[in-house]
Amino acid sequence: MGNEPAEVFGRSLSSVPETHSLLSVSEVLGLPIETMDDQFGCVSDFLVDDTNWSLQYMIIDSNRWLPGGAKYGIHIKRLEKVEAEGRGVVVNMKRAQIEELSEYDPDQLAY
């Protein structure tokens, strides 16, 4: 133990950019989704684990401009980053991988 930098979530604090900041969910809702190979839909909601208040899934709507697109739940671990100034949310999935998921149906959630 010496002068090693502190770690948060396994990352050295010295590697976190000084511009790092917290975002409100309302700032992320509606942002476009950037997949590994395409732009696909937008963020429409988040699901939270009510036992520890951690984000579990990001819900994306496949139709960015009109309501009624297919909705998919993507585990939060697939989220790479939120681009600066609201340009988009980057996920580490390809568009086809998302389209192969079962559509999100809030009526099918177990409580």
Side-chain angles (χ1 to χ4, degrees), residues 16-55:
V16 177
E18 289 185 24
T19 58
H20 182 74
S21 63
L22 296 175
L23 293 173
S24 165
V25 168
S26 65
E27 294 177 271
V28 179
L29 293 176
L31 290 180
I33 301 294
E34 296 285 339
T35 66
M36 293 168 61
D37 60 352
D38 198 5
Q39 192 174 59
F40 180 69
C42 65
V43 179
S44 68
D45 206 352
F46 288 93
L47 296 181
V48 175
D49 181 335
D50 66 355
T51 60
N52 63 11
W53 297 103
S54 64
L55 289 177

Side-chain angles (χ1 to χ4, degrees), residues 2 7 16 24 26 50-51 55 66 68 70-71 74 78 95 104:
E7 288 191 4
V16 177
S24 165
S26 65
D50 66 355
T51 60
L55 289 177
L66 299 172
K71 290 188 171 32
I74 297 178
R78 294 298 209 142
R95 180 182 181 133
Y104 165 69

Side-chain angles (χ1 to χ4, degrees), residues 56-96:
Q56 294 297 306
Y57 288 90
M58 176 175 63
I59 308 301
I60 64 169
D61 187 331
S62 65
N63 192 345
R64 184 166 179 218
W65 304 111
L66 299 172
K71 290 188 171 32
Y72 301 97
I74 297 178
H75 196 276
I76 207 71
K77 289 181 180 179
R78 294 298 209 142
L79 186 132
E80 285 289 317
K81 64 181 173 179
V82 176
E83 291 284 344
E85 299 170 12
R87 292 186 307 212
V89 175
V90 179
V91 296
N92 61 358
M93 294 178 77
K94 293 185 176 185
R95 180 182 181 133

